[in-house]
Amino acid sequence: MQPSASSPIAPMLAKAVPEVPAPDSVAGGLSYEPKWDGFRAIVYADGEGAVESVEIGSRGSKMLTRYFPELVEAFRSILPGPCVLDGEIVVPTGEPGKQRLDWEALSQRIHPAASRVKLLSEKTPATFVAFDLLAIGDESFVDRPFAERRAALEEFAGDLPAPIALTRTTTDVDVARHWLVEFEGAGLDGVVAKPFSGVYAPNKRTMLKIKHHRTADVVALGYRIHKSGQGVGSLLVGLYGDDGMLRNVGGVSAFSDAKRLALIDELAPLVERDESGEAVTGETDRSRFSSGKDVSFVRLRPERVLEVRYDQMEGMRFRHTAQFERWRPDREAASCTFDQLDRPIAYDLADVLT
């Protein structure tokens, strides 16, 4: 079926693997590329001969078109013709020579006010990084192997100017492993490996992704009840700053049903209670993504330490939800500071896009 804005296609996905795989681990070999940390987007540029209309679909097929007017205009004026492209929307910030991806600036672009969207499109303009080609005009590439899709993408969009960029690729596994370490300094998320022989498989995890995994010892600050109403849905965790203040750095989730229920009893002695014996609750800060959601949590006395697995930091918080590793009864809460975190060496985003 020909993908279009009226019949949007679900993007092809990737499954996590612990390390960058060798090229001969998959029949037909692998192509490696940087893993961009932005909004996954499928661009539908339609028209007769020239691009006349543009829609930008998200991973869940929700249209992002209204939030990125500068990209819509760029697609209309820059693309050589109607097409369907798969890629990532990112926002670079920083002075020349020190640019990196800015997730916070990107997330602010999802705003209900048109005036705010227009202002941000000028203040923090987005870039579209293309990494797959699904159609040119009426010709579908979905059933073709990635090697053919990539070659066609390079021919079609390889020389386009900013704000459209073509992601770089390599067949050298050592280069890919170098990227995994080096490009994190520009805010990237890891490396993706794509089978050369693979067709575009919507909503299937046929690609491989390799992300950064680190551990840290953090303090349990509280917990949220699971959406089912039974057990612990997520733990809120914190770290001590140089000023001695304990700061919320994110959440820990993905517990089994049995573990969620067990945590209620396990954490009961740490629950803060008022004079009447009722559990003390609080609320985390709301964001545009938590609008309408329950952000309340049960407060815990900051005494218990746990080890978590995380991929990277965004400012003073974990960029993504962390994973529980184990309790650390041998650690004092006060010893859990930001100093233990591994910070990547800065790397200029412009060098990644070159």
Side-chain angles (χ1 to χ4, degrees):
M1 182 179 67
Q2 177 78 357
S4 65
S6 59
S7 181
I9 188 170
M12 184 166 62
L13 305 176
K15 64 179 179 180
V17 294
E19 59 185 20
V20 180
D24 59 1
S25 62
V26 173
L30 291 168
S31 174
Y32 307 97
E33 61 189 57
K35 186 178 185 303
W36 298 89
D37 191 18
F39 291 165
R40 184 73 174 275
I42 295 185
V43 175
Y44 304 92
D46 200 6
E48 294 294 332
V51 175
E52 300 168 359
S53 65
V54 174
E55 293 289 350
I56 305 174
S58 70
R59 174 172 168 175
S61 295
K62 174 184 176 182
M63 289 301 162
L64 301 173
T65 314
R66 69 176 298 268
Y67 303 115
F68 298 96
E70 77 279 27
L71 289 183
V72 172
E73 179 57 32
F75 293 138
R76 284 178 178 154
S77 60
I78 294 175
L79 288 176
C83 61
V84 180
L85 300 174
D86 187 5
E88 200 98 356
I89 296 174
V90 298
V91 169
T93 60
E95 61 187 73
K98 296 181 180 180
Q99 284 197 328
R100 59 176 286 122
L101 299 184
D102 190 329
W103 172 260
E104 182 60 27
L106 175 63
S107 65
Q108 288 177 6
R109 298 297 302 273
I110 309 302
H111 198 282
S115 58
R116 181 66 174 169
V117 169
K118 183 178 185 300
L119 175 65
L120 292 176
S121 71
E122 298 168 353
K123 183 179 179 182
T124 54
T127 293
F128 177 74
V129 183
F131 46 63
D132 214 331
L133 175 69
L134 307 189
I136 296 178
D138 294 330
E139 184 180 7
S140 175
F141 285 75
V142 171
D143 294 327
R144 300 188 187 184
F146 175 68
E148 289 187 28
R149 301 200 309 275
R150 175 68 194 193
L153 176 63
E154 291 177 1
E155 182 176 353
F156 181 78
D159 296 324
L160 298 183
I164 302 174
L166 186 63
T167 195
R168 63 166 65 181
T169 63
T170 183
T171 57
D172 189 328
V173 67
D174 291 329
V175 170
R177 289 166 179 162
H178 183 68
W179 286 354
L180 180 65
V181 176
E182 193 171 50
F183 288 175
E184 186 187 11
L188 276 78
D189 206 19
V191 169
V192 173
K194 298 180 177 180
F196 275 119
S197 59
V199 300
Y200 196 90
N203 215 29
K204 302 292 185 182
R205 296 189 181 276
T206 56
M207 303 183 293
L208 306 173
K209 61 182 178 182
I210 307 90
K211 299 179 67 173
H212 308 279
H213 291 294
R214 302 177 173 89
T215 61
D217 293 328
V218 295
V219 184
L221 302 178
Y223 65 80
R224 289 197 177 104
I225 299 296
H226 188 259
K227 60 184 178 181
S228 67
Q230 302 293 319
V232 171
S234 61
L235 284 172
L236 274 62
V237 297
L239 289 171
Y240 284 96
D242 293 337
D243 57 3
M245 298 292 291
L246 185 59
R247 291 178 170 82
N248 178 12
V249 295
V252 182
S253 62
F255 301 115
S256 66
D257 291 345
K259 183 65 173 177
R260 285 200 301 266
L261 296 175
L263 280 172
I264 291 289
D265 294 332
E266 196 169 353
L267 297 173
L270 295 175
V271 173
E272 289 188 7
R273 300 188 181 277
D274 58 23
E275 294 179 355
S276 66
E278 292 294 318
V280 176
T281 61
E283 285 193 351
T284 54
D285 294 336
R286 288 189 177 274
S287 71
R288 60 192 56 81
F289 299 111
S290 62
S291 178
K293 295 182 180 179
D294 182 7
V295 293
S296 64
F297 66 94
V298 177
R299 292 187 180 275
L300 299 176
R301 296 195 308 276
E303 300 173 6
R304 194 158 193 192
V305 175
L306 58 150
E307 182 181 357
V308 299
R309 181 163 38 93
Y310 71 100
D311 48 16
Q312 59 180 309
M313 299 293 292
E314 179 74 21
M316 303 292 282
R317 292 177 60 86
F318 295 136
R319 169 66 181 82
H320 303 99
T321 303
Q323 304 298 312
F324 179 86
E325 286 285 296
R326 56 177 176 159
W327 294 110
R328 290 296 305 267
D330 57 319
R331 290 291 299 268
E332 293 291 333
S335 69
C336 298
T337 67
F338 284 92
D339 292 341
Q340 67 182 296
L341 302 182
D342 180 20
R343 300 281 184 170
I345 299 173
Y347 191 85
D348 185 18
L349 180 62
D351 291 337
V352 184
L353 290 168
T354 302

